[in-house]
Amino acid sequence: MSPAPFSSIPFRLDMQSGVPVYRQIMDQIHGAIAAGALRAGDQLPTVRQLSVDLSVNPNTVVRAYRELEIRGVLTTQQGIGTFISSKTVAPDEAERQRKLTQMVGELMAKAGAAGYTAEEVATRFLEFMSEQRRKP
Amino acid sequence: MSPAPFSSIPFRLDMQSGVPVYRQIMDQIHGAIAAGALRAGDQLPTVRQLSVDLSVNPNTVVRAYRELEIRGVLTTQQGIGTFISSKTVAPDEAERQRKLTQMVGELMAKAGAAGYTAEEVATRFLEFMSEQRRKP
DNA sequence: ATCAATGTATTAGTTGACTAGAACACTGTC
DNA sequence: GACAGTGTTCTAGTCAACTAATACATTGAT
């Protein structure tokens, strides 16, 4: 038997963090792609396999995979498996994510320096989000 | 009888918006202060009065008032009433809020131009928030 | 056709945020 | 002290997000 047809990502879950498990899975897949550990066409752990590895319900894995599929990161084929989408651009992704982190960090720093609490920024931010979301 | 010892703010609630009522109340008080309609020492509508005016449970008003008190905007005195805190700086507040809105707007525009979805930005942002929150 | 491996769908339980109902405690006036 | 007006607290209901349990559908090899 082949010892695993798919890259085994060293998933690390923090059940205490309050961050939803499905989102942590998404982030780590994102990260693995960004780091080059996963490339277009690579197969991900099966829903059942990963759910066992993480001691999590299969549906939680499904949720993560589906969200990533919607965003074009993954491609799932019933009865076959889940794969990294061919459209995914691996190398630039790391830079992309770093830039986003920096952008957000800049805002927080700038706002903090101007005397705004994190809550205030969050409130404004969420208002922005809900406005965007209500239109379509 | 005096026709109302406190400024009657023209509260406008949008029950369809998905924005929590207590937060809308907070925002409008914030706005009234920023606009100069409310100044330090002014009494706000009583919990019961405002709850009747808005057809909302008193506890919802209490929630809004308490949050604002925690942030130093209001001062409540049991048996007396709720007042605008003397520390509140009214005139600069409008400018302050506009600036924050602009900061957040800039981030969203910048991120959008760089190809990030609102979701991506939100995810990064929430990670930031939860990191800040877990330390103390 | 059968079977094992895969993803899918349906339903339900858990939790936290939000709101509500009702009883309680404090203040000032009479 | 009684009372009306004020904020406070305790308890519970509602809803959405998240996770779980279970049964179902598809694929490819035998």
Side-chain angles (χ1 to χ4, degrees):
Chain A
M1 61 192 98
S2 40
F6 25 70
S7 331
S8 85
I9 308 175
F11 282 98
R12 295 172 291 106
L13 293 187
D14 182 354
M15 306 307 264
Q16 312 299 325
S17 68
V19 179
V21 172
Y22 83 94
R23 196 178 298 267
Q24 293 186 45
I25 295 175
M26 288 174 62
D27 287 342
Q28 299 198 20
I29 292 174
H30 252 137
I33 294 173
L38 289 178
R39 286 183 299 181
D42 285 355
Q43 181 175 8
L44 286 127
T46 68
V47 169
R48 281 174 180 74
Q49 181 65 46
L50 188 52
S51 74
V52 170
D53 290 353
L54 300 182
S55 301
V56 146
N57 191 279
N59 278 326
T60 303
V61 179
V62 166
R63 173 79 183 272
Y65 281 7
R66 187 187 303 156
E67 297 268 345
L68 287 173
E69 183 179 22
I70 291 173
R71 301 184 195 186
V73 177
L74 302 182
T75 303
T76 64
Q77 289 176 270
Q78 179 156 347
I80 309 288
T82 305
F83 306 85
I84 306 293
S85 171
S86 54
K87 291 180 300 185
T88 302
V89 188
D92 294 82
E93 188 60 22
E95 188 65 18
R96 237 176 69 89
Q97 292 300 323
R98 265 200 302 278
K99 278 188 178 173
L100 177 55
T101 301
Q102 187 183 354
M103 282 186 202
V104 175
E106 274 177 7
L107 169 66
M108 296 303 284
K110 200 162 132 191
Y116 299 95
T117 67
E119 256 71 15
E120 274 181 298
V121 182
T123 302
R124 263 296 178 286
F125 184 83
L126 292 177
E127 283 170 7
F128 249 95
M129 290 297 295
S130 56
E131 281 175 13
Q132 303 296 80
R133 204 170 296 158
R134 219 174 313 141
K135 296 219 173 143
Chain B
M1 62 190 95
S2 41
F6 25 70
S7 330
S8 85
I9 308 175
F11 282 97
R12 293 173 292 105
L13 293 187
D14 181 356
M15 305 308 265
Q16 312 298 326
S17 68
V19 180
V21 173
Y22 83 93
R23 195 178 298 267
Q24 293 187 45
I25 294 174
M26 289 174 61
D27 287 343
Q28 300 199 18
I29 291 175
H30 251 136
I33 294 174
L38 289 179
R39 286 184 298 183
D42 285 356
Q43 181 175 7
L44 287 126
T46 70
V47 170
R48 280 173 181 73
Q49 181 65 46
L50 187 52
S51 74
V52 171
D53 289 353
L54 301 181
S55 303
V56 147
N57 192 278
N59 278 326
T60 302
V61 178
V62 166
R63 172 81 183 270
Y65 281 6
R66 187 187 303 156
E67 297 268 344
L68 287 173
E69 184 179 20
I70 291 174
R71 301 184 193 185
V73 177
L74 302 182
T75 302
T76 63
Q77 288 177 270
Q78 179 156 346
I80 310 289
T82 305
F83 306 85
I84 305 294
S85 171
S86 55
K87 292 178 300 185
T88 301
V89 188
D92 294 82
E93 188 59 22
E95 188 65 17
R96 237 177 69 89
Q97 291 301 324
R98 264 199 302 276
K99 277 188 180 175
L100 178 54
T101 301
Q102 187 183 354
M103 281 187 203
V104 175
E106 273 177 7
L107 169 67
M108 297 303 286
K110 202 162 130 188
Y116 299 95
T117 67
E119 257 72 13
E120 276 181 298
V121 182
T123 301
R124 265 295 178 286
F125 184 84
L126 293 177
E127 283 170 9
F128 248 95
M129 291 297 295
S130 56
E131 281 175 15
Q132 303 296 79
R133 205 170 295 160
R134 219 174 311 143
K135 298 221 173 141

